[in-house]
Amino acid sequence: MNEDTVSIIVTVLNGEKWIDSCFRSILQQCTAVRLQKQQLQPKQMHREQHNNVDGNELLAYVASTTAKEEVEQKQKFQIEVCVFDDCSKDGTADMLKLWQHKFNNYRIPMHIVQNESGKSKGVGYGRNRAIEAATGFYLCFQDIDDEMLPTRIQQQYALARYNKDALIGCKFVRAPANSTCRFARWANELDELKLTLQIYTANGPTVIMPTWLCHRQVYERIPQGFCEHGYGTPEDLIFFYAHLDRGGRVMRVNDCLLLYRYHPAATTFSIVADTIWQLRMQHLLMHVLCREPWRSGFTIWNAGKRGRKFFRDLPQAEKCKVRAFCDVDEKKINKSYSHYDEAAHRFTYLVPIVHFKHARPPLLICMKLDLTNGAFEENLNSLNLSEGRDYVLFT
């Protein structure tokens, strides 16, 4: 293993359309480091300033005109490219060989792992095989249809060196620019203190998978690595939860370092929404609802469709803990929700519906964010509650 090597992990299935733009963006990473080194001017700086440095201070330090020898130490990394070709049927295999030769001209190793089974194995399987071929202490995950922006690896590597137990993400720009605006706004503007709190939204991990860079030990702490169940599996969310369950941290570089492409053939569209719902529900049951103050009772915010679905999907033992629904709709307030048990062929629960101002914490909030021109967020903020302690978002 090479301590100063960042292994770029790529899986590809019929990706000839994206290979050139993706791999050109990887080459830019080396160019960006060389240019910045040429622009830096030596400046005296005491080593004591680097002790116990946090992420933001470190990034500011690397980007500033600090002592040249110190910066070179922080930026001294090599890259290699590790690609898993998941049984592509187009011209992917030939293009990968051409790029292997191009990378070799730049003294960048490129390892190609071929799936020769005749059947696609899926993204999780491919990532595991590419990582097996990797020699770096650091892993940078890159989707073939996305592009690294200059200094992506430089900035994330600088942060990862001091935070070997963290998944390091970054902000991104969407292409086309007007696609998934609400999602992009949430992912890019989410407060860093909430990166381990807002983990039960339908948006998935709070730092998106195509932006991840981490020390290899983050990956090795997860038994069997990425889930290999194949097509339709949210392997990124499964890995993200496993990382958090083992005390792993989540961090983000607050610069846009990735062009994140949106298109109909993206892997995201292979994931069934109910699969993600059930995965989130199971994690919530195991890590939130079984603990105080939740196990003594809680309120569901939203007496509408999503709130009732959440109630129906709760195990019987958890349904008993629901004190009330709360809402803002005057047509629902002061009434009750009658739950009909399909198996028992009878109504089994009668849950009161109260105004949100009268709701008793903790609150399980089943409201989607950024949909009511700020009205829901204003109502929630008016209660002066603490996220994670008094309420959890399950949106």
Side-chain angles (χ1 to χ4, degrees):
M1 293 294 171
N2 297 317
E3 187 172 359
D4 62 349
T5 295
V6 178
S7 301
I8 302 170
I9 306 302
V10 184
T11 63
V12 56
L13 172 60
N14 299 327
E16 64 177 357
K17 180 178 180 180
W18 314 111
I19 288 175
D20 284 342
S21 59
C22 178
F23 287 177
R24 276 197 300 265
S25 76
I26 292 174
L27 276 180
Q28 287 181 346
Q29 304 302 303
C30 300
T31 305
V33 172
R34 287 197 298 270
L35 288 175
Q36 188 171 33
K37 284 183 179 180
Q38 293 169 5
Q39 295 167 358
L40 292 171
Q41 299 298 321
K43 181 179 178 183
Q44 186 64 32
M45 186 175 187
H46 295 295
R47 287 182 180 274
E48 289 81 2
Q49 290 178 278
H50 308 308
N51 294 334
N52 301 317
V53 66
D54 67 22
N56 290 331
E57 290 172 343
L58 178 60
L59 290 175
Y61 165 65
V62 169
S64 69
T65 56
T66 58
K68 186 175 182 180
E69 65 275 10
E70 290 287 344
V71 174
E72 288 179 345
Q73 180 183 353
K74 299 296 180 293
Q75 295 177 337
K76 184 182 177 183
F77 66 86
Q78 300 172 336
I79 65 172
E80 67 175 5
V81 182
C82 304
V83 183
F84 180 79
D85 180 6
D86 196 12
C87 213
S88 297
K89 305 300 182 185
D90 60 359
T92 290
D94 291 336
M95 292 186 70
L96 291 179
K97 291 177 182 177
L98 288 173
W99 269 98
Q100 189 176 43
H101 178 70
K102 289 181 182 180
F103 279 124
N104 183 61
N105 290 338
Y106 286 87
R107 297 183 179 179
I108 298 173
M110 179 172 173
H111 311 288
I112 302 173
V113 182
Q114 294 280 354
N115 173 8
E116 298 178 349
S117 70
K119 182 179 180 181
S120 172
K121 297 283 190 176
V123 175
Y125 180 92
R127 288 195 180 117
N128 289 337
R129 301 295 83 75
I131 292 170
E132 287 174 359
T135 67
F137 268 39
Y138 296 87
L139 306 174
C140 175
F141 296 93
Q142 175 72 19
D143 284 356
I144 195 67
D145 50 357
D146 299 331
E147 298 176 32
M148 295 185 180
L149 299 181
T151 77
R152 176 195 170 180
I153 295 179
Q154 176 187 346
Q155 292 199 52
Q156 290 188 294
Y157 171 75
L159 191 54
R161 287 185 75 245
Y162 286 83
N163 299 277
K164 292 182 171 63
D165 63 339
L167 274 177
I168 311 293
C170 65
K171 294 185 178 182
F172 56 87
V173 291
R174 224 25 174 149
N178 62 347
S179 55
T180 66
C181 295
R182 288 176 48 249
F183 165 72
R185 188 160 50 243
W186 171 81
N188 283 332
E189 297 179 4
L190 184 62
D191 190 291
E192 289 181 82
L193 296 176
K194 297 184 177 182
L195 293 178
T196 55
L197 292 178
Q198 291 193 13
I199 62 174
Y200 297 113
T201 74
N203 293 324
T206 50
V207 288
I208 65 168
M209 172 74 209
T211 70
W212 289 0
L213 186 147
C214 64
H215 193 275
R216 180 181 281 267
Q217 72 179 25
V218 169
Y219 171 79
E220 290 178 343
R221 291 174 66 189
I222 311 301
Q224 288 79 52
F226 288 95
C227 178
E228 298 185 2
H229 290 172
Y231 186 84
T233 301
E235 77 290 326
D236 58 340
L237 185 58
I238 294 171
F239 188 96
F240 185 73
Y241 281 160
H243 172 68
L244 294 177
D245 295 348
R246 287 159 178 79
R249 295 185 297 142
V250 182
M251 305 181 74
R252 185 183 66 206
V253 176
N254 288 321
D255 286 334
C256 290
L257 303 178
L258 184 81
L259 186 147
Y260 186 27
R261 193 170 273 110
Y262 177 89
H263 59 93
T267 305
T268 302
F269 295 108
S270 70
I271 312 298
V272 178
D274 192 58
T275 300
I276 298 177
W277 173 283
Q278 294 301 329
L279 184 61
R280 291 188 290 138
M281 174 69 82
Q282 289 303 313
H283 196 271
L284 184 80
L285 289 167
M286 293 175 61
H287 296 276
V288 177
L289 299 187
C290 64
R291 300 175 180 174
E292 292 295 348
W294 299 87
R295 65 182 178 187
S296 294
F298 59 93
T299 301
I300 298 175
W301 186 317
N302 189 351
K305 183 178 179 180
R306 292 186 69 83
R308 296 183 184 199
K309 172 176 170 53
F310 180 85
F311 183 90
R312 289 194 302 270
D313 286 354
L314 285 172
Q316 294 298 329
E318 303 300 322
K319 286 186 173 70
C320 299
K321 299 176 184 177
V322 178
R323 299 190 186 110
F325 286 91
C326 74
D327 212 292
V328 297
D329 188 347
E330 297 293 340
K331 296 179 181 178
K332 298 173 184 173
I333 293 169
N334 295 326
K335 296 182 180 179
S336 297
Y337 164 65
S338 298
H339 175 68
Y340 184 78
D341 189 316
E342 297 285 350
H345 302 291
R346 61 186 177 88
F347 289 97
T348 52
Y349 294 95
L350 188 66
V351 186
I353 303 173
V354 302
H355 192 277
F356 79 91
K357 290 184 177 180
H358 301 144
R360 179 181 169 189
L363 306 176
L364 197 293
I365 299 178
C366 294
M367 292 287 296
K368 284 192 174 182
L369 302 173
D370 201 15
L371 275 182
T372 59
N373 294 321
F376 160 68
E377 288 80 1
E378 183 178 345
N379 289 337
L380 178 58
N381 291 336
S382 71
L383 299 180
N384 296 313
L385 301 176
S386 174
E387 186 170 2
R389 183 192 67 192
D390 300 318
Y391 70 90
V392 167
L393 294 170
F394 193 95
T395 62

